[in-house]
Amino acid sequence: MKLPRKQAAVVRDAIERWKQDGILPDAQAATLAATIEVQYFDWRKLAKYSFWIALFSIVSSVSAALSDRFIRDLLEALFMVPAGIKCAALSLVAAGLYRRGLAKRAEAPGKVYRNEAIFFLGVLATAGAITQLGVMFDTGSGHDSILLLLSFLVYAVLGVRLDSNLIWVFALASLGGWMGTETGYMSGWGAYYLGMNYPLRFVLFGGLLTACALSLETHPIGQRFFRSTLVMGLLYLFIPLWIMSIFGNYGDFPSWGRVKQIELFHWSVLFAAIAGWAVYHGLRHDNDITKGFGLTFLGINLYTRFFELFWDNLHKAVFFALLAASFWYIGSKAETIWNLGKESETGRPTTG
């Protein structure tokens, strides 16, 4: 059994602990320990980062090609092709990529990153096809959010049918884009919709998406996409909350500049309360996602308030000294907790 160095150490310590407690006979413990082979290089991470770089390189290659004069002339000729033909061609390309991704996954289901990279290319082709479909039926109304809603429906169906969390994430991203553009269109592209600026709208959207994710945790279909839906919901929730804690429910900088920061303090309290709920939920339900988001954004909230309150009021030497002391304290406590965890796993105190 090949394991990374840290995981191999944990498994060996567990076997040793079971042997000392009499759960495993000495001979069986020795047999199990002998099956562990340390994998000193994390090939999984290399595969993941390599495919990310490959996809980024593909996008860069296309961008570089677009800057070439011959390619630009060729594209101008292609632009003369009717949008319906381009939509059909891109749809066929997307279908071919999805089919190839399924075939590759059936051949080697363990090669997750390669298979998902093929699906990602299919997602890009699908986006191009939907864009050309919008060109076909464009009436000049400026109501382009319907394309994002269509993208959500297409990606949602594909994500469920192909059992791909990557495609499902694009579906949720499209849904968020539709919400933002639809409310913008309905408000005449003003700063407010029903008295809410854009961040506040996304706070409500993120809260609703998070609630849906938590309620579907045990659903047969929803369970497959539970983690990705919850992460997207919490991102939609916490990032706008952080923005609200700084700018409040204001739609332009002049209006925001006329208020004192203390008048926005209630948004910081709301931000902290929701982050505290996430930590509580994570601890109670053993959910690392909500706990991690809660702790992370609780820290972001505290340090944002620290900068707001003391950047102009303290000497910079004192300011950074306090900042260093706080991080030193956090690091010391985190190291203590980490060492306690190692001691509980190995059954003996750690040194160094």
Side-chain angles (χ1 to χ4, degrees), residues 143-350:
H143 197 186
D144 298 327
S145 59
I146 190 67
L147 294 178
L148 289 167
L149 181 59
L150 178 61
S151 299
F152 162 70
L153 295 174
V154 171
Y155 288 143
V157 172
L158 287 171
V160 174
R161 295 284 294 176
L162 302 181
D163 195 16
S164 171
N165 272 283
L166 174 71
I167 302 176
W168 181 255
V169 166
F170 276 93
L172 297 180
S174 300
L175 183 62
W178 169 80
M179 191 281 297
T181 53
E182 180 67 16
T183 55
Y185 175 80
M186 294 180 67
S187 65
W189 304 111
Y192 297 98
Y193 173 72
L194 298 179
M196 298 179 290
N197 64 2
Y198 274 100
L200 185 53
R201 290 176 233 171
F202 276 100
V203 167
L204 298 179
F205 177 77
L208 180 61
L209 187 58
T210 301
C212 290
L214 294 175
S215 64
L216 294 175
E217 183 175 2
T218 57
H219 190 275
I221 297 178
Q223 190 174 26
R224 289 153 39 192
F225 306 102
F226 164 69
R227 294 181 67 86
S228 56
T229 306
L230 183 58
V231 168
M232 289 294 290
L234 291 172
L235 284 173
Y236 277 127
L237 174 64
F238 277 113
I239 293 177
L241 270 174
W242 177 52
I243 296 173
M244 293 288 295
S245 72
I246 300 173
F247 298 102
N249 190 26
Y250 290 95
D252 55 80
F253 283 102
S255 300
W256 172 70
R258 289 192 293 269
V259 301
K260 296 180 179 180
Q261 201 63 33
I262 192 64
E263 297 178 35
L264 306 176
F265 186 69
H266 58 285
W267 294 112
S268 303
V269 173
L270 177 63
F271 187 13
I274 295 179
W277 164 84
V279 174
Y280 171 76
H281 178 275
L283 292 172
R284 181 170 182 178
H285 298 278
D286 194 23
N287 190 316
D288 291 336
I289 298 176
T290 53
K291 181 171 59 178
F293 267 90
L295 289 172
T296 299
F297 280 94
L298 190 61
I300 289 174
N301 187 17
L302 291 174
Y303 279 102
T304 301
R305 306 289 79 78
F306 177 77
F307 273 85
E308 286 179 347
L309 294 175
F310 299 115
W311 179 257
D312 293 326
N313 299 324
L314 283 179
H315 190 280
K316 295 302 178 283
V318 178
F319 177 88
F320 284 108
L322 291 174
L323 195 64
S326 66
F327 276 105
W328 189 286
Y329 176 79
I330 292 172
S332 299
K333 290 299 181 182
E335 188 177 35
T336 301
I337 295 171
W338 176 66
N339 282 321
L340 287 174
K342 289 180 65 179
E343 180 178 342
S344 64
E345 288 177 358
T346 60
R348 57 183 183 275
T350 57

Side-chain angles (χ1 to χ4, degrees), residues 9-29:
V10 171
V11 174
R12 282 173 176 164
D13 288 340
I15 292 173
E16 182 66 24
R17 182 64 179 268
W18 291 334
K19 185 177 74 172
Q20 292 176 1
D21 293 343
I23 299 174
L24 287 176
D26 292 350
Q28 188 176 0

Side-chain angles (χ1 to χ4, degrees), residues 65-103:
L66 293 176
S67 64
D68 185 85
R69 183 173 181 179
F70 173 76
I71 299 295
R72 288 203 306 270
D73 293 340
L74 180 61
L75 289 175
E76 288 177 3
L78 288 175
F79 281 135
M80 303 303 293
V81 176
I85 296 178
K86 288 187 283 187
C87 177
L90 287 168
S91 298
L92 290 175
V93 171
L97 288 167
Y98 292 134
R99 185 170 182 176
R100 182 172 178 79
L102 283 174

Side-chain angles (χ1 to χ4, degrees), residues 42-60:
D42 195 340
W43 293 100
R44 183 186 177 107
K45 283 187 178 179
L46 177 62
K48 177 172 67 174
Y49 295 142
S50 295
F51 279 113
W52 284 358
I53 294 171
L55 292 171
F56 176 77
S57 299
I58 290 173
V59 175
S60 300

